[in-house]
Amino acid sequence: MIARVVVIPAAGDTGTLDYTVDPGMEATVRPGMRVLVPLGARRAVGIVTELADASSHPRLKNILAALDSQPLLDASMMQLCRWLADYYLCSFGEAVSTALPGSVRISIERVVKAVRPLPAVGEDGRTAPLPSSAAQLLEWLTTVGPQSTRAIEDKLGAQARAALAALRRRGCVAVDEEVRGGDGPTRHQRYYRIARELAADEARAWRHKRPAQYAVYAYLQAHPLRRARAAELNATFPNATAKLGALIRAGCAEVVEEEMYRSVLPAEVGDDRPVRLTAAQCDAVKAVRDGLGAFRTHLLWGVTGSGKTEVYLHSIAACLAAQRTALVLVPEISLTHQLVDRIRARFGERVAVLHSGLSDGERWDEWRRIARGDVAIVVGARSAVFAPLPHLGLVVVDEEHDAAFKQEDGIRYNGRDVAVMRAKLAGCPAVLGSATPAVETFHNGQTGRYEMLTLPERVEARPLPAVDIVDLRRAPAVGKLVLISPRLVAALKANLVARGQSLLFLNRRGFANFLQCLQCGEALLCPNCSVTLTLHRRMRALRCHHCDYTIAPPDMCPGCGGLSLSAWGAGTEQVEAALRQMLPGARVGRMDRDTTSRKGSQREIFAAWERREYDVLIGTQMITKGHDVPGVTLVGVLLADVSLNFPDFRAAERTFQLLTQVAGRAGRGTRPGRVIVQTLQPEHLSVRCAAQHDYHTFVEHELAARRELGYPPFARLVQIRCEGENPEATERMVRAVATHVAGIAEKGVEVLGPTPAPIERLRRRYRWQLLVRSRSGAAARRAARAASEAVRRTARTAGVRVLVDVDPYAML
Ligand code: ADP
Ligand code: ZN
């Protein structure tokens, strides 16, 4: 039998390799499992992609070992990986590596095991006594069981090598090269327990001769669990490890390891709030329920607060009733919390969470729970689209328009689009929900590719909030640098008196604090990236938000030596300080990258906000999405037009979505909400339509503009970007790519650019890009693949990276 194997992590463009399978292993090796294979002079871990009877290659090597007892990827996940590689123009190995959690990319470890006790001096013909570190090591290995060489080095430091060598020479330890069960960083809890009960006279003798050891034995024997952890024993007995070692050697105690799952969910579950579905919700649920069992994509277009989540929950219930599992994707980690709470309240414990905020070990635990079929529902951010749910019956993507679904590293996949393909391969429906569907998605709904389900009103006939636009050109802000107009201040004060909560949104991207010299006009730039450095007052630091370059704010201009450096712009931090002055007595919270860098802090701030411990919450993008907090009656947008000025064909769409989403946070409870939007461009269509909650007018205009300009969904784009430290080589490479695309002369395929990227330099690299455009996505991808592969080798020698991005989002 032949096994096709793809090595992970992907080693270049190797593709799949053929290996023979020993007759003895034929029963155990199946597609989707990890195997250990020889690769040149080394050994590598790979995934079996398929089994075959014959190979076209002569002289194949043997698979060395199977590392799993169950496939990690089932047949449909394997198909999904094939599609990923084909669609996103990467190798199959890269696709498989992307689909698997990082922790399966295990290394091969050398594991040391104690095999016999120390010989007495002279007994083995040697007279030199062992170094004391060797005896200590053997003692330790006897007590705790086999250990990796790395763990031994951690314990003994510089003496590890000599100690190990001495023990090997005397045959006291055996060293295996081993993939430790192939189970990644699984956490084991180590216990000590009684292995053999002592007979009465034996016990008496022991108690008499070695009372301290006997005490440990007695403790274990009398223990209510009849076993104890090392930490517990160490806390109870001085030098417990040595005493346990003696008990183990005498065969009365033993070490047991139990696999444990790290719990990533909070212990308490909230209350379920069952509701009676509205007529529109009922129709939507019925459409999904009737379509279970076949692939179909539904676009659930419901205004903010229309009860989309309730539609998901009912659809999930129908899916579970059909003995199938459900996958729910949200754009951000913070949104998983709220949704997981609601799902657990309704469906109980068979829920798993997957997102990048988990440690490798936590993610691996959740992954195995899912793969073993212990889980009925998975909730997660982008990468959860690869959750190994068996019997998948429903895929939900909430806030499907969100750019966070787009992966901007490695394989640049869009989690939403992969989710739809996953549903297709599983033969089940996908539900894409949004108040502001992506223009492409809406177009698919209009043309009938997706089935459109609409929730046109908020539940219980709650009104959408009234939106006031403040023209900042006429209403000067209070204070020079902080953007809070008198109208917004008045509204904040009134809302405080009325005991409502106020949410203030500042889109800080490209609008942070920076330092500028009033003499020569130079702004302080990052030396690695062509962007201004951001001033963080509390940390007294200037910092680049792209590469993390950080310096103390200088006293004088590095350009002209002038002494009047001035801070411009307003960051969330500054707004927070201003608010505290304007609203004495108000409880003000802030949520942005700085206040949420610690694990779990975002969840804490958000929980406090829900419990009404803040009157005002100021924040960046993080606060705009999804959250359902009934106490919010005022939303302020400090500067609506920030995102309008981005050099990106989606700038208008993004701005509209952002404003609609943030406005949608207001008035979700029984009291109506109000929104104040400050802007320098009150006449802009995105601003006007968002103020009127008018998605329809906006999307019609936007679609017309896209058609006219030839942008998606009326054309498909592939971006190719070249990045290198040498500006000339980088430019030469991007021009070579352009020439190749033109030379391929694929019908209807054109090149836009090349141009320097809007951020021309990032992390010391110069950046050039071009777009391959065609009405046919397949033609654009074919041309892009051929052209990027044609230059790959020269690019590598020239030190230029060539990055391919299918359906690009980030134009910066
Ligand atoms: P969306 O996701 O569309 O913005 P949610 O699903 O968060 O809206 O629902 C908004 C609020 O309305 C939630 O508090 C939810 O519990 C409540 N809700 C949903 N459906 C109903 C209903 N049929 N009747 C009463 N309340 C509902
Ligand atoms: Zn930088």
Side-chain angles (χ1 to χ4, degrees), residues 273 275-278 281 302-312 338 342 398-399 435 455 459-460 462 626-628 630 664-665 668:
R273 295 170 280 173
V275 295
R276 264 191 67 204
L277 294 187
T278 63
Q281 284 174 319
V303 300
T304 55
S306 60
K308 292 184 287 296
T309 311
E310 210 49 59
V311 173
Y312 306 147
Q338 220 185 17
R342 281 177 77 176
D398 192 23
E399 313 286 355
L455 306 177
V459 294
E460 297 179 333
R462 285 171 203 155
H627 304 298
D628 183 38
R665 298 312 110 210
R668 296 169 73 92

Side-chain angles (χ1 to χ4, degrees), residues 83 87-88 297 299 329-330 381-383 385 395-407 413-423 430-434 436-442 444 450 650 653 657 716 807 809:
W83 175 81
Y87 189 87
Y88 290 106
T297 306
L299 166 56
L329 299 183
V330 291
R382 185 177 57 225
S383 61
V385 73
V395 177
V396 173
V397 183
D398 192 23
E399 313 286 355
E400 65 81 30
H401 63 276
D402 202 298
F405 280 118
K406 176 82 173 167
Q407 165 89 18
Y413 66 88
N414 186 320
R416 173 202 59 210
D417 298 339
V418 179
V420 171
M421 183 46 69
R422 183 133 191 226
V431 178
L432 312 181
S434 177
T436 53
V439 171
E440 291 94 329
T441 309
F442 187 80
N444 280 332
Y450 294 172
R650 287 195 181 84
E653 178 184 357
Q657 285 163 343
R716 306 300 288 273
D807 304 330
Y809 266 61

Side-chain angles (χ1 to χ4, degrees), residues 526-531 533 543-549 761-764:
C526 172
N528 309 320
C529 314
S530 45
V531 296
L533 293 167
R543 178 180 228 161
C544 171
H545 276 199
H546 292 289
C547 74
D548 261 350
Y549 172 86
R761 195 158 169 247
L762 192 63
R763 298 181 191 95
R764 306 178 144 274

Side-chain angles (χ1 to χ4, degrees), residues 37-82:
V37 293
L39 185 70
R42 66 186 181 100
R43 306 204 280 174
V45 177
I47 296 267
V48 178
T49 65
E50 60 184 324
L51 298 171
D53 294 329
S55 168
S56 54
H57 303 278
R59 283 185 297 140
L60 297 180
K61 290 184 185 166
N62 250 329
I63 283 185
L64 300 171
L67 302 179
D68 294 306
S69 50
Q70 291 286 319
L72 292 181
L73 296 173
D74 66 12
S76 84
M77 288 300 291
M78 213 65 119
Q79 258 180 303
L80 187 69
C81 290
R82 288 216 170 77

Side-chain angles (χ1 to χ4, degrees), residues 654-672:
R654 291 243 175 95
T655 306
F656 173 81
Q657 285 163 343
L658 203 55
L659 294 179
T660 309
Q661 293 291 340
V662 68
R665 298 312 110 210
R668 296 169 73 92
T670 42
R671 287 156 67 190

